Amino acid sequence: MKRIKLSDGIYLNIIESDKFKTDYFDINIILPLREETASYAALLPMVIKRGCEKYPTMAEITKRLDYLYSTGFSTRVMKRGEMQIVGFGVDFLREILLPAGETLFDDVFDTVKNIVFKPLVNGGAFKDEYVQTEKKNLIDAINALINNKNAYAMKKCHQAMCKGENFAVSENGSIENVEKICGKDLYEFYKNLMSSARMEFFYTGKCDEKKLIESVKKLICDIERNYTLKASTQQFVRKRNDVEEIVEEMEVAQGKLIMAFSSGTTISDEDYTSYLVFNNLFGGSPTSKLFENVREKMSLCYYCRSLPESHKGILTVASGIEVENYEKAKNEIVLQLENVKRGIISDEELVNAKKALTNSYRELFDDAPNLSFWYLSRLIGGSEKTVEDVIDEIAKVTKEQIAKCAIGTELDTVFFLKGTLNDGGDKN
C-alpha cells in the first residue's frame, strides 16, 4: 500500500491490484465518538444519499449511477474504539473492460464530488423532507437493535463495562438526540466535519497514480480546512478488583451470555499479532478451545466465540446458552482461559489457530472493500503494517507469547440476557 499526504489531516491510500473487475474508492471521515455528535454523524450519510445539487432526488442519483455502467454507491457509519467513521464508497468497472474509446474514471469522480461534496441545501439547511424521513429511519434502526439479541447484549455489556467513557456511546447515536436534529444544524455539522475532521481516502485497483491524485484533490478543492477535530481512543483500564455481573430478563428462550475482558493489548502494540493468534486459539475459530470444549464436548452453548476490540483493548466472549447452563458455561469459559495462561496448548491447536488466521487474512485480497477497511482500521489504530507483514508475524508466534497474552486478559464484566420462555420462544 502506498500512502500519500494531500493536506493536513487528509491522506490518499493506494492499494494496487488487478485482481478485480471493478475498482473501489472510498472516503472515510473520522471524528471522535461523542454523545453530543454521534446522532448527527449517523444521520448525515443517510440524508446525503437522498439527493444533491445536480441530482436532487435518489431516483436521479440512481439513474446517474446506472448510466455509469451500474456503478455502486454505498454509505456506512462505523465505530472503532472511541472513533466514529462516516464512510462513502463507490465501485465501478475497470476501464480496461469498457468498450473501445469509452472512459469512466472522470465521470465517477465527478459524480462522487456532486453527491458527497455538493449536497442539496436550501437556505443554509438540508432539505427538511429528507431530514425528517431519515430521522424516522434512523430511529427505527436504533429500536430494531432489540431484535438482534446478541448485538443488544454485547452493547449492554460494553456500556456497563465502560460507563462514563466514550466507548459506551452507540455509533447510531440515541433516539433522544436524533429527534432534536433539524436540517440547519445538520448542515452546520456537515460543514464543520468536512473542514476539521481527518479524512482517509482509499483506492483499490489499477489506475494512473498522477491522475488519481489530481482527481482526489478536486474533490476537496472547495473545502477550507482547519484540522482540529482529532480522534483517538483511550485504552480500557480495569478500575475494579471484582467482576461485575448484570442479569436482564427478556421473553426469549435462549439466554445470551456476554463476558467482557480487559485485554491489555491494542492494535498499536508490537505484540498485537500474538494477541490475534491467542484469540483464534482461545475462541476465535471453529478449532478454538471454546468451540471444541464449551460447545462440542460439553454442549453448554449453541455458539461461543471471542471477539477482540483492537482499538479499545477489550476481548468479548459471546455465547448463546440455555438459562440453566449459566454458571457452568461461565465457569468453563474462564477455565479454558486459565488453561491457555498455564500454557496448556497442543501443537495441533497452535497450527490450526495460525492456519485459520492466515487464511482469513489471505481472503482479504478477494474483497476490495474488506481490504480497504482492514487498512483503515490499522491506520487509525496507529499501525502501518501491511497484510503481508502480519501474515509473516503469525507464522513466528510461539506458545509462550500466546500464554503471555492470556495472562494479561482479565474478566471485568458479565452480562446475561436471561430468557424467560420455556419453549417455542425466540431463539435469536
Side-chain angles (χ1 to χ4, degrees), residues 8 10 21 65 114 119 225-226 249 265 298 325 388 412:
D8 193 20
I10 300 180
K21 291 182 179 179
L65 295 171
N114 278 298
R225 287 286 291 176
N226 181 25
E249 293 188 348
T265 308
M298 303 185 71
N325 288 333
E388 293 85 352
D412 185 89

Side-chain angles (χ1 to χ4, degrees), residues 1 4 20 27-29 90 97 112 116 124 139 170 186 188 195 217 230 256 260 288 294 309 344 384:
M1 186 186 77
I4 302 165
F20 310 106
I27 303 163
N28 302 281
I29 307 170
V90 286
L97 300 175
V112 169
V116 180
I139 289 171
S170 169
L186 185 62
E188 290 299 319
S195 170
K217 285 182 177 179
K230 300 179 180 180
K256 302 296 180 183
S288 67
V294 186
E309 211 303 336
I344 303 175
E384 295 191 10

Side-chain angles (χ1 to χ4, degrees), residues 4 25 30 90 137 140 143 154 166 179 226 255 270 289 346 358 381 396 403 410 417:
I4 302 165
F25 175 72
I30 301 110
V90 286
N137 290 336
D140 288 345
N143 282 324
M154 286 187 67
N166 290 314
E179 289 174 338
N226 181 25
E270 273 302 311
K289 285 184 177 292
S346 70
T358 299
K396 301 173 185 176
E410 299 180 80
L417 188 63

Side-chain angles (χ1 to χ4, degrees), residues 6 10 113 117 199 201 216-223:
L6 300 179
I10 300 180
K113 184 173 178 67
F117 296 93
M199 292 186 187
F201 296 95
V216 175
K217 285 182 177 179
K218 287 179 182 178
L219 293 180
I220 58 176
C221 65
D222 298 325
I223 300 174

Side-chain angles (χ1 to χ4, degrees), residues 36 53 95 177 235 252 304 337:
E36 60 271 21
E53 285 183 7
E95 292 198 341
N177 287 338
Q235 182 176 345
V252 292
C304 190
L337 178 61

Side-chain angles (χ1 to χ4, degrees), residues 67-85:
Y67 176 77
L68 300 176
Y69 289 91
S70 297
T71 290
F73 179 79
S74 60
T75 65
R76 64 188 175 275
V77 176
M78 301 186 296
K79 168 182 174 179
R80 292 293 182 270
E82 290 165 348
M83 292 171 277
Q84 191 174 15
I85 304 164

